[in-house]
Amino acid sequence: ARKRQRYVEKDGKCNVQHGNVRETYRYLTDIFTTLVDLKWRFSLLIFILAYALTWLFFGLIWWVIAYSRGDLEHLGDHSWTPCVNNLNGFVSAFLFSIETETTIGYGHRVITDTCPEGIVLLLLQAILGSMVNAFMVGCMFVKISQPNKRAETLVFSSHAVVSLRDDRLCLMFRVGDLRDSHIVEASIRAKLIQSKQTQEGEFIPLDQTDLSVGFETGDDRLFLVSPLIISHEIDERSPFWDVSRGQLERDDFEIVVILEGMVEAT
């Protein structure tokens, strides 16, 4: 069999690469989806940087406040009330920033009530820290719960067959679910991907044509408890109606099957 370049791989990944994208700013306007679509190594890197840079930024501000108030010049002076007790340098300011944003609160370094700028900064860091937590944790949760892993336990037959069923010629394949938790409101559809030329001479690459798998009768809505046979009847409305067996073996086309539904557990 000759090697064909697939439009959609067997694992469901679309074999399409985007190039010459000029308006790249659109990816930043939808930053949440952009982060979810990134590879895991980049997502983890951004996750770590988001927290590390926030801690460093606020740690630097805490150190600047202590330096500008003269707290670092009165270390050990018990008559002096600093903005933050036991803050004696940038490292301790960085640790205090981590304790504030993560609400650890070890108790050794604590803000005093004689520092209004510190109180304002404490409020800002607490609010911003909550926003960073909500954004990054939400992003990681969505990335973990993406349905591509659930699809690993949905099994399609390795080959499709054309055969008679009830004296009608049909294209058939099977699909089954390996898990005990069912796919709720499962529906299936099929697309024929094939380049074609119109009657006006226009060439359409990768044209998509619907293959009926029971939309009119409701058979496309599946009760996927046991393996099911999905059938496409080759009638006058089918794109395979005028195709012979020899032409079917020679033609360059692809059938993409799309199964959609909700996971019962989630």
Side-chain angles (χ1 to χ4, degrees):
R2 59 193 178 95
K3 180 71 173 179
R4 294 180 179 178
Q5 186 177 7
R6 298 187 59 88
Y7 184 67
V8 177
E9 298 292 344
K10 285 291 188 179
D11 58 0
K13 295 180 180 178
C14 294
N15 194 20
V16 177
Q17 294 182 353
H18 296 278
N20 197 23
V21 180
R22 298 179 181 179
E23 298 178 348
T24 54
Y25 67 90
R26 294 182 180 271
Y27 293 104
L28 296 178
T29 56
D30 188 15
I31 186 64
F32 186 83
T33 307
T34 301
L35 292 177
V36 172
D37 289 341
L38 287 176
K39 294 182 178 180
W40 267 108
R41 55 179 177 269
F42 297 116
S43 296
L44 292 175
L45 178 62
I46 293 177
F47 186 85
I48 295 172
L49 288 177
Y51 284 103
L53 293 179
T54 305
W55 297 336
L56 285 171
F57 174 74
F58 281 101
L60 179 62
I61 298 180
W62 284 114
W63 179 82
V64 170
I65 291 177
Y67 179 81
S68 60
R69 294 181 78 255
D71 294 344
L72 302 180
E73 300 176 359
H74 295 81
L75 299 176
D77 187 357
H78 298 288
S79 62
W80 179 266
T81 303
C83 182
V84 179
N85 288 328
N86 300 305
L87 195 153
N88 51 22
F90 177 75
V91 175
S92 59
F94 174 68
L95 293 176
F96 179 72
S97 175
I98 297 176
E99 296 168 13
T100 301
E101 190 167 330
T102 57
T103 65
I104 295 175
Y106 289 117
H108 184 66
R109 280 173 291 271
V110 60
I111 190 172
T112 61
D113 56 0
T114 60
C115 182
E117 62 270 28
I119 296 175
V120 173
L121 181 61
L122 181 69
L123 294 175
L124 289 176
Q125 186 172 6
I127 295 173
L128 183 61
S130 299
M131 294 174 62
V132 171
N133 285 332
F135 187 84
M136 297 308 302
V137 173
C139 177
M140 298 302 290
F141 175 78
V142 172
K143 192 171 182 63
I144 292 173
S145 60
Q146 281 185 312
N148 54 355
K149 297 302 180 184
R150 178 61 176 89
E152 294 293 335
T153 51
L154 290 172
V155 182
F156 288 84
S157 54
S158 301
H159 300 88
V161 298
V162 177
S163 179
L164 287 175
R165 169 180 270 193
D166 293 333
D167 203 27
R168 292 174 295 180
L169 201 61
C170 298
L171 170 69
M172 295 176 288
F173 58 91
R174 299 184 75 189
V175 59
D177 189 3
L178 300 180
R179 288 193 178 275
D180 294 332
S181 59
H182 304 311
I183 301 292
V184 182
E185 296 185 7
S187 63
I188 196 166
R189 52 196 173 100
K191 292 280 188 179
L192 173 65
I193 310 295
Q194 186 179 30
S195 301
K196 76 171 186 177
Q197 191 169 7
T198 64
Q199 297 179 1
E200 295 78 15
E202 178 188 3
F203 179 75
I204 303 178
L206 301 176
D207 181 64
Q208 299 185 12
T209 305
D210 278 320
L211 294 180
S212 177
V213 288
F215 177 77
E216 297 84 358
T217 60
D219 290 337
D220 62 325
R221 295 187 291 273
L222 308 179
F223 183 49
L224 196 58
V225 177
S226 60
L228 299 176
I229 297 178
I230 310 301
S231 176
H232 163 67
E233 182 179 350
I234 303 178
D235 54 12
E236 294 84 354
R237 297 173 297 175
S238 173
F240 298 120
W241 177 250
D242 296 325
V243 180
S244 64
R245 177 177 178 178
Q247 185 179 356
L248 191 67
E249 295 175 350
R250 294 191 305 270
D251 282 352
D252 191 6
F253 66 90
E254 186 172 338
I255 298 176
V256 178
V257 179
I258 305 166
L259 176 65
E260 297 175 315
M262 294 183 293
V263 179
E264 182 184 38
T266 59

PDB file of all heavy atoms in Angstrom, residues 6 16 51 63 69 104 110-111 119 122 144 151 160 164 170 192 199 204 224 231 236 242 259:
ATOM      1  N   ARG A   6      -1.676  11.980   5.822  1.00  0.00           N
ATOM      2  CA  ARG A   6      -2.991  12.058   6.430  1.00  0.00           C
ATOM      3  C   ARG A   6      -3.342  13.496   6.812  1.00  0.00           C
ATOM      4  O   ARG A   6      -2.480  14.284   7.184  1.00  0.00           O
ATOM      5  CB  ARG A   6      -3.066  11.165   7.667  1.00  0.00           C
ATOM      6  CG  ARG A   6      -2.846   9.688   7.384  1.00  0.00           C
ATOM      7  CD  ARG A   6      -3.113   8.869   8.640  1.00  0.00           C
ATOM      8  NE  ARG A   6      -4.471   9.078   9.098  1.00  0.00           N
ATOM      9  CZ  ARG A   6      -5.512   8.350   8.677  1.00  0.00           C
ATOM     10  NH1 ARG A   6      -5.335   7.406   7.779  1.00  0.00           N
ATOM     11  NH2 ARG A   6      -6.716   8.590   9.136  1.00  0.00           N
ATOM     12  N   VAL A  16      -1.973  19.568  10.464  1.00  0.00           N
ATOM     13  CA  VAL A  16      -1.984  20.867   9.793  1.00  0.00           C
ATOM     14  C   VAL A  16      -1.070  21.812  10.566  1.00  0.00           C
ATOM     15  O   VAL A  16      -1.155  21.905  11.796  1.00  0.00           O
ATOM     16  CB  VAL A  16      -3.411  21.450   9.719  1.00  0.00           C
ATOM     17  CG1 VAL A  16      -3.384  22.838   9.083  1.00  0.00           C
ATOM     18  CG2 VAL A  16      -4.322  20.528   8.927  1.00  0.00           C
ATOM     19  N   TYR A  51       4.825  32.574  39.428  1.00  0.00           N
ATOM     20  CA  TYR A  51       4.963  32.698  40.882  1.00  0.00           C
ATOM     21  C   TYR A  51       6.319  33.284  41.260  1.00  0.00           C
ATOM     22  O   TYR A  51       6.393  34.180  42.134  1.00  0.00           O
ATOM     23  CB  TYR A  51       4.774  31.329  41.543  1.00  0.00           C
ATOM     24  CG  TYR A  51       3.345  30.886  41.596  1.00  0.00           C
ATOM     25  CD1 TYR A  51       2.867  29.941  40.704  1.00  0.00           C
ATOM     26  CD2 TYR A  51       2.457  31.411  42.530  1.00  0.00           C
ATOM     27  CE1 TYR A  51       1.547  29.529  40.743  1.00  0.00           C
ATOM     28  CE2 TYR A  51       1.146  31.002  42.584  1.00  0.00           C
ATOM     29  CZ  TYR A  51       0.684  30.060  41.691  1.00  0.00           C
ATOM     30  OH  TYR A  51      -0.622  29.655  41.727  1.00  0.00           O
ATOM     31  N   TRP A  63      11.777  45.231  50.147  1.00  0.00           N
ATOM     32  CA  TRP A  63      13.146  45.638  50.491  1.00  0.00           C
ATOM     33  C   TRP A  63      13.332  47.142  50.285  1.00  0.00           C
ATOM     34  O   TRP A  63      13.987  47.815  51.100  1.00  0.00           O
ATOM     35  CB  TRP A  63      14.136  44.862  49.631  1.00  0.00           C
ATOM     36  CG  TRP A  63      15.567  45.238  49.887  1.00  0.00           C
ATOM     37  CD1 TRP A  63      16.373  44.783  50.880  1.00  0.00           C
ATOM     38  CD2 TRP A  63      16.338  46.178  49.133  1.00  0.00           C
ATOM     39  NE1 TRP A  63      17.622  45.358  50.807  1.00  0.00           N
ATOM     40  CE2 TRP A  63      17.624  46.229  49.733  1.00  0.00           C
ATOM     41  CE3 TRP A  63      16.085  46.965  48.024  1.00  0.00           C
ATOM     42  CZ2 TRP A  63      18.639  47.054  49.249  1.00  0.00           C
ATOM     43  CZ3 TRP A  63      17.097  47.781  47.541  1.00  0.00           C
ATOM     44  CH2 TRP A  63      18.358  47.820  48.148  1.00  0.00           C
ATOM     45  N   ARG A  69      12.862  53.592  54.512  1.00  0.00           N
ATOM     46  CA  ARG A  69      12.462  54.004  55.861  1.00  0.00           C
ATOM     47  C   ARG A  69      13.620  53.960  56.850  1.00  0.00           C
ATOM     48  O   ARG A  69      13.499  54.430  57.973  1.00  0.00           O
ATOM     49  CB  ARG A  69      11.336  53.107  56.382  1.00  0.00           C
ATOM     50  CG  ARG A  69      10.033  53.245  55.612  1.00  0.00           C
ATOM     51  CD  ARG A  69       8.949  52.357  56.188  1.00  0.00           C
ATOM     52  NE  ARG A  69       8.361  52.934  57.397  1.00  0.00           N
ATOM     53  CZ  ARG A  69       8.589  52.538  58.626  1.00  0.00           C
ATOM     54  NH1 ARG A  69       9.453  51.548  58.845  1.00  0.00           N
ATOM     55  NH2 ARG A  69       8.003  53.125  59.663  1.00  0.00           N
ATOM     56  N   ILE A 104       1.453  31.531  54.143  1.00  0.00           N
ATOM     57  CA  ILE A 104       2.091  30.572  55.059  1.00  0.00           C
ATOM     58  C   ILE A 104       2.156  31.162  56.462  1.00  0.00           C
ATOM     59  O   ILE A 104       1.704  30.566  57.433  1.00  0.00           O
ATOM     60  CB  ILE A 104       3.497  30.207  54.552  1.00  0.00           C
ATOM     61  CG1 ILE A 104       3.398  29.474  53.218  1.00  0.00           C
ATOM     62  CG2 ILE A 104       4.222  29.332  55.571  1.00  0.00           C
ATOM     63  CD1 ILE A 104       4.734  29.174  52.591  1.00  0.00           C
ATOM     64  N   VAL A 110       6.801  39.765  60.461  1.00  0.00           N
ATOM     65  CA  VAL A 110       5.410  40.206  60.499  1.00  0.00           C
ATOM     66  C   VAL A 110       5.367  41.723  60.320  1.00  0.00           C
ATOM     67  O   VAL A 110       6.253  42.441  60.793  1.00  0.00           O
ATOM     68  CB  VAL A 110       4.736  39.792  61.823  1.00  0.00           C
ATOM     69  CG1 VAL A 110       5.449  40.404  63.022  1.00  0.00           C
ATOM     70  CG2 VAL A 110       3.263  40.149  61.827  1.00  0.00           C
ATOM     71  N   ILE A 111       4.360  42.209  59.625  1.00  0.00           N
ATOM     72  CA  ILE A 111       4.222  43.636  59.373  1.00  0.00           C
ATOM     73  C   ILE A 111       3.694  44.332  60.626  1.00  0.00           C
ATOM     74  O   ILE A 111       2.925  43.753  61.403  1.00  0.00           O
ATOM     75  CB  ILE A 111       3.293  43.876  58.166  1.00  0.00           C
ATOM     76  CG1 ILE A 111       3.335  45.337  57.731  1.00  0.00           C
ATOM     77  CG2 ILE A 111       1.866  43.447  58.474  1.00  0.00           C
ATOM     78  CD1 ILE A 111       2.603  45.612  56.434  1.00  0.00           C
ATOM     79  N   ILE A 119       1.069  48.378  54.569  1.00  0.00           N
ATOM     80  CA  ILE A 119      -0.286  47.837  54.649  1.00  0.00           C
ATOM     81  C   ILE A 119      -0.937  47.837  53.265  1.00  0.00           C
ATOM     82  O   ILE A 119      -1.583  46.870  52.855  1.00  0.00           O
ATOM     83  CB  ILE A 119      -1.132  48.640  55.654  1.00  0.00           C
ATOM     84  CG1 ILE A 119      -0.540  48.484  57.058  1.00  0.00           C
ATOM     85  CG2 ILE A 119      -2.583  48.188  55.628  1.00  0.00           C
ATOM     86  CD1 ILE A 119      -1.223  49.337  58.101  1.00  0.00           C
ATOM     87  N   LEU A 122       0.643  45.149  51.256  1.00  0.00           N
ATOM     88  CA  LEU A 122       0.160  43.844  51.696  1.00  0.00           C
ATOM     89  C   LEU A 122      -1.188  43.514  51.066  1.00  0.00           C
ATOM     90  O   LEU A 122      -1.425  42.391  50.603  1.00  0.00           O
ATOM     91  CB  LEU A 122       0.054  43.825  53.221  1.00  0.00           C
ATOM     92  CG  LEU A 122      -0.407  42.515  53.864  1.00  0.00           C
ATOM     93  CD1 LEU A 122       0.653  41.447  53.694  1.00  0.00           C
ATOM     94  CD2 LEU A 122      -0.731  42.717  55.337  1.00  0.00           C
ATOM     95  N   ILE A 144      -5.113  19.608  32.417  1.00  0.00           N
ATOM     96  CA  ILE A 144      -5.115  18.220  32.876  1.00  0.00           C
ATOM     97  C   ILE A 144      -6.393  17.506  32.447  1.00  0.00           C
ATOM     98  O   ILE A 144      -6.372  16.320  32.089  1.00  0.00           O
ATOM     99  CB  ILE A 144      -4.950  18.166  34.408  1.00  0.00           C
ATOM    100  CG1 ILE A 144      -3.539  18.634  34.801  1.00  0.00           C
ATOM    101  CG2 ILE A 144      -5.198  16.760  34.946  1.00  0.00           C
ATOM    102  CD1 ILE A 144      -3.348  18.777  36.289  1.00  0.00           C
ATOM    103  N   ALA A 151     -10.034  10.035  25.363  1.00  0.00           N
ATOM    104  CA  ALA A 151     -10.210   9.399  24.053  1.00  0.00           C
ATOM    105  C   ALA A 151      -9.329   8.173  23.878  1.00  0.00           C
ATOM    106  O   ALA A 151      -9.569   7.372  22.963  1.00  0.00           O
ATOM    107  CB  ALA A 151      -9.920  10.413  22.949  1.00  0.00           C
ATOM    108  N   ALA A 160     -12.328  -0.158   7.886  1.00  0.00           N
ATOM    109  CA  ALA A 160     -13.737  -0.021   7.506  1.00  0.00           C
ATOM    110  C   ALA A 160     -14.014  -0.966   6.345  1.00  0.00           C
ATOM    111  O   ALA A 160     -13.123  -1.265   5.546  1.00  0.00           O
ATOM    112  CB  ALA A 160     -14.047   1.415   7.111  1.00  0.00           C
ATOM    113  N   LEU A 164     -22.844  -5.646   2.059  1.00  0.00           N
ATOM    114  CA  LEU A 164     -24.302  -5.597   2.015  1.00  0.00           C
ATOM    115  C   LEU A 164     -24.869  -5.785   3.417  1.00  0.00           C
ATOM    116  O   LEU A 164     -24.451  -6.663   4.168  1.00  0.00           O
ATOM    117  CB  LEU A 164     -24.847  -6.684   1.082  1.00  0.00           C
ATOM    118  CG  LEU A 164     -24.666  -6.447  -0.415  1.00  0.00           C
ATOM    119  CD1 LEU A 164     -25.140  -7.668  -1.190  1.00  0.00           C
ATOM    120  CD2 LEU A 164     -25.417  -5.205  -0.873  1.00  0.00           C
ATOM    121  N   CYS A 170     -23.361  -0.771   2.215  1.00  0.00           N
ATOM    122  CA  CYS A 170     -23.046   0.124   3.327  1.00  0.00           C
ATOM    123  C   CYS A 170     -21.545   0.139   3.596  1.00  0.00           C
ATOM    124  O   CYS A 170     -20.860  -0.882   3.440  1.00  0.00           O
ATOM    125  CB  CYS A 170     -23.783  -0.306   4.606  1.00  0.00           C
ATOM    126  SG  CYS A 170     -25.583  -0.261   4.490  1.00  0.00           S
ATOM    127  N   LEU A 192     -15.945  13.270   4.656  1.00  0.00           N
ATOM    128  CA  LEU A 192     -15.090  12.819   3.576  1.00  0.00           C
ATOM    129  C   LEU A 192     -14.182  13.978   3.179  1.00  0.00           C
ATOM    130  O   LEU A 192     -14.659  15.044   2.778  1.00  0.00           O
ATOM    131  CB  LEU A 192     -15.920  12.371   2.374  1.00  0.00           C
ATOM    132  CG  LEU A 192     -15.134  12.022   1.105  1.00  0.00           C
ATOM    133  CD1 LEU A 192     -14.264  10.795   1.344  1.00  0.00           C
ATOM    134  CD2 LEU A 192     -16.072  11.801  -0.071  1.00  0.00           C
ATOM    135  N   GLN A 199     -17.554  22.338 -11.396  1.00  0.00           N
ATOM    136  CA  GLN A 199     -17.928  22.407 -12.801  1.00  0.00           C
ATOM    137  C   GLN A 199     -17.390  23.660 -13.477  1.00  0.00           C
ATOM    138  O   GLN A 199     -17.215  23.689 -14.696  1.00  0.00           O
ATOM    139  CB  GLN A 199     -19.450  22.350 -12.933  1.00  0.00           C
ATOM    140  CG  GLN A 199     -20.057  21.047 -12.442  1.00  0.00           C
ATOM    141  CD  GLN A 199     -21.568  21.029 -12.552  1.00  0.00           C
ATOM    142  OE1 GLN A 199     -22.182  21.997 -13.014  1.00  0.00           O
ATOM    143  NE2 GLN A 199     -22.178  19.917 -12.135  1.00  0.00           N
ATOM    144  N   ILE A 204     -10.729  22.886  -5.369  1.00  0.00           N
ATOM    145  CA  ILE A 204     -10.920  23.045  -3.921  1.00  0.00           C
ATOM    146  C   ILE A 204     -10.097  21.979  -3.223  1.00  0.00           C
ATOM    147  O   ILE A 204     -10.457  20.785  -3.259  1.00  0.00           O
ATOM    148  CB  ILE A 204     -12.402  22.914  -3.536  1.00  0.00           C
ATOM    149  CG1 ILE A 204     -13.245  23.942  -4.301  1.00  0.00           C
ATOM    150  CG2 ILE A 204     -12.576  23.111  -2.027  1.00  0.00           C
ATOM    151  CD1 ILE A 204     -14.729  23.838  -4.007  1.00  0.00           C
ATOM    152  N   LEU A 224     -23.570   4.277  23.960  1.00  0.00           N
ATOM    153  CA  LEU A 224     -22.298   3.582  23.800  1.00  0.00           C
ATOM    154  C   LEU A 224     -21.959   2.781  25.050  1.00  0.00           C
ATOM    155  O   LEU A 224     -21.053   3.111  25.816  1.00  0.00           O
ATOM    156  CB  LEU A 224     -21.190   4.594  23.479  1.00  0.00           C
ATOM    157  CG  LEU A 224     -19.875   4.029  22.917  1.00  0.00           C
ATOM    158  CD1 LEU A 224     -20.139   3.252  21.638  1.00  0.00           C
ATOM    159  CD2 LEU A 224     -18.886   5.157  22.656  1.00  0.00           C
ATOM    160  N   SER A 231     -22.896   2.700  10.406  1.00  0.00           N
ATOM    161  CA  SER A 231     -23.127   2.366   9.006  1.00  0.00           C
ATOM    162  C   SER A 231     -23.454   3.614   8.204  1.00  0.00           C
ATOM    163  O   SER A 231     -24.247   4.461   8.638  1.00  0.00           O
ATOM    164  CB  SER A 231     -24.274   1.344   8.896  1.00  0.00           C
ATOM    165  OG  SER A 231     -24.579   1.073   7.539  1.00  0.00           O
ATOM    166  N   GLU A 236     -28.041   7.214  -3.512  1.00  0.00           N
ATOM    167  CA  GLU A 236     -27.872   8.290  -4.480  1.00  0.00           C
ATOM    168  C   GLU A 236     -27.285   9.544  -3.869  1.00  0.00           C
ATOM    169  O   GLU A 236     -26.667  10.367  -4.557  1.00  0.00           O
ATOM    170  CB  GLU A 236     -29.219   8.620  -5.139  1.00  0.00           C
ATOM    171  CG  GLU A 236     -29.788   7.514  -6.013  1.00  0.00           C
ATOM    172  CD  GLU A 236     -30.557   6.488  -5.185  1.00  0.00           C
ATOM    173  OE1 GLU A 236     -30.532   6.587  -3.937  1.00  0.00           O
ATOM    174  OE2 GLU A 236     -31.174   5.581  -5.776  1.00  0.00           O
ATOM    175  N   ASP A 242     -21.219   6.836  -7.303  1.00  0.00           N
ATOM    176  CA  ASP A 242     -20.708   6.641  -8.665  1.00  0.00           C
ATOM    177  C   ASP A 242     -19.265   6.131  -8.676  1.00  0.00           C
ATOM    178  O   ASP A 242     -18.611   6.188  -9.717  1.00  0.00           O
ATOM    179  CB  ASP A 242     -20.779   7.953  -9.454  1.00  0.00           C
ATOM    180  CG  ASP A 242     -22.211   8.424  -9.635  1.00  0.00           C
ATOM    181  OD1 ASP A 242     -23.093   7.554  -9.794  1.00  0.00           O
ATOM    182  OD2 ASP A 242     -22.448   9.649  -9.609  1.00  0.00           O
ATOM    183  N   LEU A 259     -16.434  11.638  17.143  1.00  0.00           N
ATOM    184  CA  LEU A 259     -17.326  11.190  18.226  1.00  0.00           C
ATOM    185  C   LEU A 259     -17.312  12.234  19.319  1.00  0.00           C
ATOM    186  O   LEU A 259     -16.257  12.580  19.854  1.00  0.00           O
ATOM    187  CB  LEU A 259     -16.863   9.829  18.762  1.00  0.00           C
ATOM    188  CG  LEU A 259     -17.640   9.268  19.949  1.00  0.00           C
ATOM    189  CD1 LEU A 259     -19.073   8.972  19.561  1.00  0.00           C
ATOM    190  CD2 LEU A 259     -16.981   8.004  20.482  1.00  0.00           C
TER     191      LEU A 259
END
